[in-house]
Amino acid sequence: MRSYRCYFITTAALLCLLPATLCAQEFSTIRRTVNAPPKPSGTTPRTPDGHPDLTGVWNGLGDNLLGVPNQIANDGVSIDSENSSHDIATGTQIATFPRNTTRGLNNEQGERAASLLRRVGSNRPIYKPQYWDMVKEFDQSANEEDPSNNCMPAGIPRAGIPSYIGQYPNSFIFIYPGQGGLIATQTMYRMIPADGRKHTPLEELDGTYTGEGIAHWEGDTLVVDTWGFNSSTWFDQIGGYFHSENMRVIERFHRDGNTLTWTATVEDPDVLLEPWTTTPRVALLNPKPDAVLPESLPCSERDLTHTVTKEHH
Amino acid sequence: MRRFGSVVSVALLTGLLFAGAASAHHSVQSQFDIHKTVTVSGTVAKIEWINPHSYLTLNVKDAGGNVQKWAFELGGAGALRRAGMSRADRGGLKPGDEVTATALAARDGSNSGFLQELKMPDGRTFKFTTDPNGN
């Protein structure tokens, strides 16, 4: 995947962003036309044992559920305005297909341009050369190949930031509502112990979608160390990034006021040349103090048998 | 009924529908012909508010008088719910309603489409394709 870094970054788009902000209205009154991280406000609450309290409904932007625009930011594209974007790692400006608010629905140029924009970020996993063609084929045939686009679980870390975190003295509950946006997935939950236990040896674990996650604190940052996955998921939103059963994921959660910053580092020596870390994503606490997580819609995928092209987005 | 009496509500709904469509889990044009529409009239058989797309299923009589099922895809279910369409007593659909649907045609020729316009039994018409802002 190193070759991606050489791509001449021009292209692109944007058009999915506006709809994304509209989608977000379902969960929040905040309208966003850029994907800059929200600025924190308020104080960070702490539990009696002194740790930051991560408990809350973290769907203030809608992004973590609906995926856009933070979904784009995983590989490092910053949407700066109506018609400009830049690559976060290199600073390279990306010519962006202008958002035309009078453009009709289902504009094919817009859809294609949005697909490209999701793929121009330079923060990409670097696969062993023997897998380059495989990844490319997966991405180009995602309608058929994407393992999480037909109401199967997104897995970790593709599910992103949980929409609900419940923090207890020795464990955490994470809830990830099913998505119906860029991918179609079912709801997942994780119960993550934080009691000092060690991982079960990998060879004794059955591979699962969410793996065996164990949490500990490093200062004020919660670190969730997970292994024991199956190989039935991809680890980023787009790109065909498959992984082996030996993948290990290190997630870091840091609360600052009403924001929660998340990164995930993917270690998979079987297929990657080096660990890959997502561009930080930031979730916003639901602004309603009494917010509850709404019912997650059931997922029933009926389109993919009717698609006549292979491209996903 | 009363909720949908205003232009604002329809504009909102339109925008939200677009939102669901544009962030679909596959590209719209991989499944639908964005330059071709199909219009059918029939009876509402089923309304489903689900991910990744909501569905409106109609019973449509063909030229021979036989009933065919037509499946029309819609946008975000949550948005539609908030707009009130999930309850018939708020002006939404219910099984048995006679409606006319205009949709982007399925590229594979199946009895399905991406809903663009819906004529309700009481004469209201919802257009689901204007501009992304729903203006």
Side-chain angles (χ1 to χ4, degrees):
Chain A
M1 290 296 89
R2 190 183 299 274
S3 60
Y4 275 108
R5 292 189 167 175
C6 301
Y7 277 7
F8 180 52
I9 299 174
T10 84
T11 8
L14 190 47
L15 299 179
C16 276
L17 293 179
L18 180 61
T21 60
L22 289 167
C23 268
Q25 303 309 297
E26 186 177 339
F27 309 98
S28 163
T29 56
I30 298 170
R31 291 190 63 162
R32 301 212 306 162
T33 55
V34 299
N35 73 344
K39 289 186 169 53
S41 67
T43 57
T44 302
R46 291 184 180 270
T47 55
D49 57 11
H51 295 304
D53 189 352
L54 308 189
T55 296
V57 179
W58 292 99
N59 66 358
L61 296 177
D63 293 353
N64 55 345
L65 179 58
L66 289 157
V68 182
N70 260 347
Q71 216 168 45
I72 290 177
N74 269 20
D75 65 359
V77 174
S78 172
I79 309 299
D80 302 319
S81 74
E82 295 274 326
N83 54 15
S84 68
S85 306
H86 77 274
D87 183 78
I88 293 170
T90 64
T92 306
Q93 291 295 310
I94 302 168
T96 303
F97 196 80
R99 181 190 305 155
N100 182 340
T101 54
T102 60
R103 193 181 307 279
L105 174 62
N106 304 330
N107 175 274
E108 59 187 309
Q109 291 85 2
E111 205 169 61
R112 293 257 156 75
S115 297
L116 288 169
L117 183 60
R118 295 193 186 95
R119 287 164 174 78
V120 296
S122 66
N123 181 20
R124 298 206 163 237
I126 301 176
Y127 278 79
K128 294 179 177 179
Q130 63 265 38
Y131 298 118
W132 290 5
D133 287 344
M134 190 170 163
V135 171
K136 184 178 175 184
E137 172 60 24
F138 278 166
D139 189 30
Q140 292 179 345
S141 302
N143 274 348
E144 297 174 2
E145 302 291 351
D146 190 332
S148 302
N149 200 25
N150 54 357
C151 299
M152 296 299 281
I156 304 299
R158 195 180 192 187
I161 304 175
S163 291
Y164 172 76
I165 294 177
Q167 181 170 334
Y168 305 94
N170 290 310
S171 67
F172 291 80
I173 298 290
F174 289 2
I175 299 177
Y176 304 80
Q179 300 176 44
L182 287 180
I183 52 177
T185 67
Q186 62 175 269
T187 298
M188 296 193 318
Y189 64 85
R190 300 164 85 187
M191 181 171 177
I192 301 172
D195 55 3
R197 74 179 67 183
K198 303 297 182 188
H199 268 304
T200 306
L202 191 57
E203 57 273 18
E204 295 178 16
L205 286 170
D206 295 324
T208 59
Y209 284 91
T210 54
E212 181 189 66
I214 297 175
H216 67 275
W217 290 98
E218 292 181 2
D220 282 347
T221 298
L222 181 74
V223 179
V224 180
D225 181 340
T226 309
W227 74 7
F229 293 105
N230 60 30
S231 57
S232 303
T233 63
W234 291 351
F235 63 77
D236 198 13
Q237 304 307 322
I238 52 90
Y241 300 145
F242 76 99
H243 61 83
S244 77
E245 293 178 341
N246 293 323
M247 176 176 73
R248 184 171 188 164
V249 177
I250 310 292
E251 295 164 278
R252 289 182 167 80
F253 297 83
H254 187 87
R255 178 168 185 170
D256 184 357
N258 63 343
T259 63
L260 184 67
T261 300
W262 172 84
T263 61
T265 298
V266 177
E267 302 173 3
D268 191 341
D270 286 7
V271 301
L272 297 181
L273 283 175
E274 60 188 45
W276 176 72
T277 299
T278 63
T279 303
R281 284 166 64 171
V282 182
L284 188 67
L285 191 66
N286 191 305
K288 297 178 182 174
D290 58 351
V292 296
L293 199 60
E295 176 186 275
S296 181
L297 293 170
C299 191
S300 177
E301 206 294 315
R302 301 166 190 183
D303 296 341
L304 297 178
T305 55
H306 294 292
T307 56
V308 297
T309 61
K310 294 180 176 180
E311 67 191 84
H312 176 198
H313 274 291
Chain B
M1 179 69 184
R2 55 190 178 278
R3 282 199 180 189
F4 288 99
S6 74
V7 172
V8 172
S9 294
V10 175
L12 172 67
L13 177 62
T14 306
L16 291 170
L17 280 169
F18 176 83
S23 59
H25 66 300
H26 58 85
S27 74
V28 170
Q29 54 204 310
S30 71
Q31 185 178 357
F32 302 106
D33 186 338
I34 63 174
H35 303 297
K36 179 183 175 186
T37 58
V38 59
T39 298
V40 299
S41 296
T43 305
V44 174
K46 190 165 52 174
I47 313 148
E48 297 168 281
W49 311 99
I50 55 176
N51 276 337
H53 295 279
S54 295
Y55 270 90
L56 170 64
T57 305
L58 301 184
N59 288 330
V60 179
K61 284 188 178 175
D62 63 18
N66 301 309
V67 173
Q68 305 279 346
K69 295 280 188 198
W70 277 76
F72 293 100
E73 189 167 308
L74 299 94
L80 295 168
R81 278 181 169 172
R82 289 205 338 146
M85 287 201 78
S86 65
R87 289 183 64 96
D89 61 7
R90 296 176 189 161
L93 292 165
K94 63 180 183 301
D97 282 350
E98 296 289 331
V99 299
T100 298
T102 299
L104 301 181
R107 289 174 68 179
D108 71 348
S110 60
N111 288 349
S112 61
F114 195 95
L115 194 64
Q116 303 287 281
E117 182 180 299
L118 186 66
K119 289 184 180 172
M120 305 283 277
D122 59 10
R124 289 172 298 154
T125 297
F126 296 115
K127 291 185 184 298
F128 299 133
T129 171
T130 50
D131 70 61
N133 281 337
N135 294 320

